[in-house]
Amino acid sequence: MLEIVSTILGPVETNTYIVADTQTKEAVVIDPAWDGHVLAAEVRRRGWRLTAIWLTHAHFDHIAGAAGIAAQVQPPPAVALHPADLPLWEAQGGAPFFGMRIDPGPRPTIALAHGQTLHVGRFVFEVRHAPGHTAGHVVFYSPEEKLAFCGDVIFMGGIGRTDLPGGSYKTLMHSIQTQILTLPDETRLLSGHGPETTVGQERLENPFLS
């Protein structure tokens, strides 16, 4: 079974997801927003083995917990990020822009690319490049489980902001049309902020898509 533990962390209430194959006990953390030691402790409490950190993008509120995880887990898990967001990662995810400083944690060693497949135990996820919020934003999609971790591309009733460096409203809307709305309506969307929704619900009710 694929088990998902969702936690809201950090100063802007970012959704962090621990995703595990309960049979193989392998787990990944998607977007460790904050308090990496808390995430590492939860993985340990459940008897899982953390194999990787997957980043939908490199804004500070999605990466700030990586250093804390690396300090608690040995060997430190590999970090996956699209190369187009590496400059943003190197700039602390834009934290100084908001008057903060963070340690972004271990340097990404898995270069994500559109169409690439990743594994959590027996479960397969497809990487879908969905820029617009940032240049290197990706979505992690599981056709088998009918779910997508979509970061800050789309939310229940909203879309990702495009006013930060690297953002583009036109590009984001194209990503939503080609990488989100092409998925089956029953696909669950687990966003970077706010409650879970579905492709079908957003197709019908999201005011930005009408």
Side-chain angles (χ1 to χ4, degrees), residues 6-74:
S6 176
T7 309
I8 300 173
L9 297 170
V12 290
E13 299 187 329
T14 304
N15 293 328
T16 290
Y17 301 99
I18 304 171
V19 184
D21 179 336
T22 57
Q23 180 173 320
T24 67
K25 306 295 187 183
E26 295 173 87
V28 301
V29 173
I30 299 177
D31 291 351
W34 219 258
D35 295 330
H37 63 287
V38 172
L39 298 168
E42 182 64 17
V43 171
R44 191 163 52 245
R45 185 183 73 82
R46 292 172 178 267
W48 296 339
R49 179 171 60 89
L50 188 61
T51 59
I53 294 170
W54 297 354
L55 303 177
T56 60
H57 64 295
H59 277 147
F60 77 92
D61 61 312
H62 292 253
I63 68 173
I69 292 174
Q72 297 285 325
V73 177
Q74 295 300 322

Side-chain angles (χ1 to χ4, degrees), residues 157-182:
I159 60 173
R161 62 187 296 180
T162 57
D163 58 328
L164 297 173
S168 165
Y169 177 80
K170 181 179 179 180
T171 302
L172 179 65
M173 296 307 294
H174 181 263
S175 290
I176 292 171
Q177 292 293 332
T178 59
Q179 304 305 322
I180 300 296
L181 297 184
T182 53

Side-chain angles (χ1 to χ4, degrees), residues 7 14 30 49 58 71-73 77 85 102 119 125 139 144 152 169 184 186 200 205:
T7 309
T14 304
I30 299 177
R49 179 171 60 89
Q72 297 285 325
V73 177
D85 261 20
I102 67 161
H119 295 81
F125 286 82
V139 171
E144 178 185 1
D152 289 2
Y169 177 80
E186 65 269 23
E205 300 178 4

Side-chain angles (χ1 to χ4, degrees), residues 52-56 78-82 108-112 116 118 138 140:
I53 294 170
W54 297 354
L55 303 177
T56 60
V79 177
L81 177 70
H82 193 285
T109 56
I110 301 172
L112 298 175
Q116 179 179 357
L118 301 172
V138 300
F140 302 113

